[in-house]
Amino acid sequence: MKRNVRSSLGLVVVGFALLTSGMAQAAETYKMDTEGSHAFIQFKIQHLGFSWLLGRFNTFDGEFVLDQKNIENSKVKVTIDVASVDSNHGERDKHLRGKDFFEVEKYPEATFVSTRVEKTGEKTAKITGDFTLKGVTKPVTLDAEYIGGGKDPWGGYRQGFEATTQLKLKDFGIDYNLGPASEVVDIYISVEGIRQ
Amino acid sequence: MFINTETQYGVVSIVLHWLSFLLVAALFGVGLYMVDLTYYDPLYHELPQWHKLFGVVLAVLSLARILWRILSRSPTILAAAGWQVAAARSVHWALYLLLLLLPLTGYLISTAEGSDLSAFGWTLLPGLFELSPALADWAGSLHLWTAWGLIGLATVHALAAFKHHFVDRDSTLIRMVYIKGQ
């Protein structure tokens, strides 16, 4: 009897702590560490079917809500400055920013907002969301994998993931003919989030 | 013969003028044509290199031309009214300004990410600084509009020369074409 009272008192204390910390234990918000550049959005696309061309977006911002108890309750949101596309070639990047590809003057931002997170394994999940690029919004599914997380050496708390997906350029109104081998672009994302 | 007199252009001015004319016309045509080539066109990579090579040639030529204009005397402008003299001078110097602005903006496009300006494997000019994507795109637009501005102004310049030739019947056009024998 006494033990019961104590344990229910304990529960009340825990419950109160959860409430006052704004449910932080259940679902925590992480800001992607773009400032320290521990977050990357890279792409690769075939060149003529002979090799891979690699590039990345240098400027973006994002955050995610991670619910470790119930992964499916997690959320991700990313905003990309499309003009920051960088394939290590000034003239090509200018071409990519122009009308043939991204038309950044008219469509400066690309966004991904998750709509569903589905756990697929111990450390893996499928993150489906609305991806908007060049004014076109289409559902896209990311294959995500948890890499690791915990306290960092500087008093913060971090969690990191990587994710991949494939996009068909035509789906987003980019129909410049780069050849049959170059219609699909592979996306690789690696992000570390700092708990807020 | 080589040097300008009060009434006549010398060989140096005449050659610089017509070389400039040929280069501007060719670069303008090639420039507009090459940006619309498809990825699979055999000239997709070749034409921009010619454009850069001759763009640098035009830049050097323009610098020499402006220097020559400053150092040597120019024949007196044949015009009835003072405003015509002023207009002719303004157009000439505006053309020189555009002739400098064009290669400069072209250079900025190619070196936007710090790489050198090169053509056919030769480094023509070193890349000196990096531009933000927005500035690089701005340099690109400026290059295009400067080119149209140059063509427009050169057309006005040519029409004025024809007016002198056919209406005023003076030697304005002729003295830039050949040297009258003495």
Side-chain angles (χ1 to χ4, degrees), chain A residues 88-103:
Chain A
N88 198 26
H89 189 287
E91 287 159 3
R92 179 167 55 218
D93 293 344
K94 181 175 180 294
H95 194 192
L96 291 175
R97 291 191 299 268
K99 281 209 165 71
D100 284 337
F101 294 93
F102 295 130
E103 236 182 311

Side-chain angles (χ1 to χ4, degrees), chain A residues 97-192:
Chain A
R97 291 191 299 268
K99 281 209 165 71
D100 284 337
F101 294 93
F102 295 130
E103 236 182 311
V104 298
E105 217 169 292
K106 208 167 157 196
Y107 309 104
E109 280 188 350
T111 55
F112 178 81
V113 181
S114 70
T115 50
R116 196 159 55 98
V117 176
E118 191 188 335
K119 190 171 177 173
T120 53
E122 198 48 47
K123 291 188 162 188
T124 56
K126 281 193 183 301
I127 304 171
T128 304
D130 291 326
F131 181 56
T132 306
L133 176 65
K134 210 180 176 182
V136 181
T137 303
K138 286 229 153 78
V140 164
T141 299
L142 305 173
D143 290 308
E145 190 176 339
Y146 178 65
I147 307 293
K151 283 185 187 160
D152 65 30
W154 316 288
Y157 194 89
R158 295 163 184 255
Q159 302 277 9
F161 298 86
E162 65 179 347
T164 58
T165 192
Q166 285 195 325
L167 302 173
K168 241 185 158 167
L169 292 177
K170 263 190 192 137
D171 287 349
F172 296 91
I174 299 167
D175 50 13
Y176 187 82
N177 183 21
L178 292 167
S182 311
E183 290 172 352
V184 172
V185 58
D186 287 7
I187 307 290
Y188 175 78
I189 301 161
S190 170
V191 294
E192 193 174 281

Side-chain angles (χ1 to χ4, degrees), chain B residues 52-129:
Chain B
K52 286 182 224 176
L53 181 61
F54 282 103
V56 171
V57 171
L58 179 62
V60 172
L61 200 79
S62 299
L63 285 173
R65 200 174 158 197
I66 292 165
L67 201 68
W68 184 249
R69 168 79 187 233
I70 293 168
L71 292 180
S72 74
R73 71 185 301 170
S74 296
T76 310
I77 292 173
L78 305 169
W83 71 266
Q84 290 175 335
V85 177
R89 283 229 176 85
S90 311
V91 168
H92 289 160
W93 284 101
L95 286 169
Y96 293 144
L97 183 71
L98 293 174
L99 280 170
L100 291 181
L101 210 53
L102 259 176
L104 178 69
T105 49
Y107 168 84
L108 290 179
I109 296 171
S110 291
T111 59
E113 289 183 14
S115 58
D116 295 339
L117 176 69
S118 56
F120 304 109
W122 303 326
T123 297
L124 301 172
L125 290 167
L128 294 178
F129 25 70

